[in-house]
Amino acid sequence: MAISVDKLSDPAVREFVSAVNAHDRERFMAVLTPDAAMSDDGSERNLEEWADREIFESRGHMDVEKESAGGRELIARYRNDTWGEMRTKWRFTVEDGKVSRFDTGQA
């Protein structure tokens, strides 16, 4: 059973997931710090290139199943038009109300 996005505990993470699911690149970039970084399955990635490919060009969507660490760690069913659906884990670092880093990968 998915957790409604508006029920996610951390405001920055809630905005991140909302932007992903709305396919709103401008809103997504606004929730990130200017120097935000990320990794996918343990490998550092160029955040903007990754987001364009994995979220915006392929219609990415997150259905959050579980949150922990005050809402900064999620287990979600993630799907996009490239890879289909998979169970993923997400860990966020939030500074001053913005996401400065996120790490994702298969759960």
Side-chain angles (χ1 to χ4, degrees):
M1 183 79 177
I3 299 170
S4 176
V5 175
D6 63 340
K7 302 290 187 209
L8 295 174
S9 300
D10 187 279
V13 173
R14 184 170 55 241
E15 181 64 11
F16 179 100
V17 175
S18 294
V20 167
N21 290 352
H23 308 117
D24 187 334
R25 189 181 193 282
E26 187 175 314
R27 185 174 169 193
F28 176 83
M29 296 307 293
V31 77
L32 303 173
T33 63
D35 61 345
M38 59 89 53
S39 71
D40 184 1
D41 281 328
S43 297
E44 292 295 313
R45 304 284 188 207
N46 176 295
L47 192 153
E48 288 196 47
E49 288 176 7
W50 182 92
D52 284 341
R53 183 178 63 253
E54 300 292 338
I55 299 170
F56 302 109
E57 294 168 5
S58 60
R59 300 176 358 107
H61 188 88
M62 296 173 72
D63 287 318
V64 178
E65 295 179 341
K66 179 181 170 187
E67 67 171 2
S68 56
R72 293 188 178 173
E73 293 185 10
L74 306 177
I75 298 293
R77 287 187 327 277
Y78 186 79
R79 67 181 178 273
N80 67 26
D81 290 347
T82 302
W83 304 109
E85 184 174 301
M86 64 189 80
R87 197 159 188 258
T88 56
K89 59 186 174 196
W90 299 74
R91 184 175 60 242
F92 297 89
T93 303
V94 177
E95 297 174 9
D96 298 323
K98 293 198 177 250
V99 174
S100 62
R101 179 173 184 86
F102 65 94
D103 301 283
T104 187
Q106 293 194 48

